[in-house]
Amino acid sequence: MRSSNPVMNSLTTAKGGIQRGAYPAGAPQGYQDPYSGYGQTTTGDRPMTVDDVVAKTGMTLAVIVVLAVLNFSLGLVNPGLALMLTFVGAIGGLITVLVATFGKKYGSAAVTLIYAAFEGLFVGGISLLFSGVTFGESAADAGVLIGQAVMGTLGVFLGMLFVYKTGAVKVTPKFNRIMTGALVGVLVLALGNLLLAVFTGANPLRDGGMLAIIFSLVCIGLAAMSFLSDFDAADKMIRAGAPSKMAWGVALGLAVTLVWLYTEILRLLSYFRSN
């Protein structure tokens, strides 16, 4: 069972001694449980626990929040420098995720915290832009908008955790395949819209119109459903006895989804305020 989150997807291969396990009901011939090999690892690291995931995710989010506040505050006095750091954060965060995913650095605390630092700069800068401070909005109004986005993000996260724990939505291989296809589709649309904006000036998916609102709602829905895959992957790694260092990879995967969700909620709120 693979996750729709590419970082979580990589985590399922971060182990040695994979052995064929029992076939679950309905599994095709030749199926291998991607989590079954953790029990045979001899890294000397203790098994991962829920507390490890909570602690590492908390530290990752703390770094993001601190850097976001710093860049947002910098933007109030020097918008040009803050926007430059925002661009650096966006590119740096993307490169870090690619390194973690394809360079198999998913158990590295350094990689996760470096990603958090870059994403903190990005989140602070994007909050500055969407809140309208650089376009004359007061800091108080900006704070209200950002606070609403933060509460919305937290609410969606906790809501999806409740949905997962109650089993209201089952995470199956088919579910993950559908999610992966949907995420690829959204990525293609976003890239196409970016190219359209660069070459023609038209920006239908991000101009605040009805189509842009629908697109943001779709992105928010996909980000919310992605949490189910993330929780499922983390849960199975814990039960399979994955090394505790893998909690850093889980934290990275959750942070990627949280940042995406926060950005889309903040963008959507900015549309309604503008309208």
Side-chain angles (χ1 to χ4, degrees), residues 16 26 35 38 48 55-56 59 81 92 94 149 162 165 201-202 215 234 241 256 258:
Y35 305 94
Y38 285 118
M48 183 171 69
K56 303 303 187 294
M59 285 186 278
L81 179 58
L94 175 61
F162 176 78
K165 295 299 290 184
F215 185 70
V256 169
L258 281 167

Side-chain angles (χ1 to χ4, degrees), residues 94-113:
L94 175 61
I95 292 174
T96 307
V97 167
L98 292 176
V99 169
T101 303
F102 299 106
K104 299 185 178 181
K105 303 294 184 182
Y106 18 68
S108 169
V111 169
T112 299
L113 295 178

Side-chain angles (χ1 to χ4, degrees), residues 134-217:
T134 55
F135 302 105
E137 290 287 341
S138 68
D141 291 338
V144 170
L145 189 71
I146 292 171
Q148 291 173 339
V150 170
M151 293 303 296
T153 302
L154 182 61
V156 171
F157 176 81
L158 294 177
M160 298 314 294
L161 180 59
F162 176 78
V163 168
Y164 176 74
K165 295 299 290 184
T166 58
V169 177
K170 299 296 184 182
V171 180
T172 64
K174 182 178 180 180
F175 174 89
N176 284 323
R177 287 196 299 271
I178 293 173
M179 284 296 302
T180 299
L183 291 172
V184 170
V186 164
L187 177 61
V188 170
L189 286 175
L191 290 176
N193 185 75
L194 177 61
L195 293 174
L196 188 66
V198 169
F199 291 106
T200 69
N203 192 20
L205 298 183
R206 296 305 192 187
D207 62 1
M210 182 55 64
L211 186 59
I213 291 174
I214 293 173
F215 185 70
S216 283
L217 288 173

Side-chain angles (χ1 to χ4, degrees), residues 44-55:
D45 195 4
R46 62 176 176 77
M48 183 171 69
T49 65
V50 174
D51 288 342
D52 291 324
V53 174
V54 172

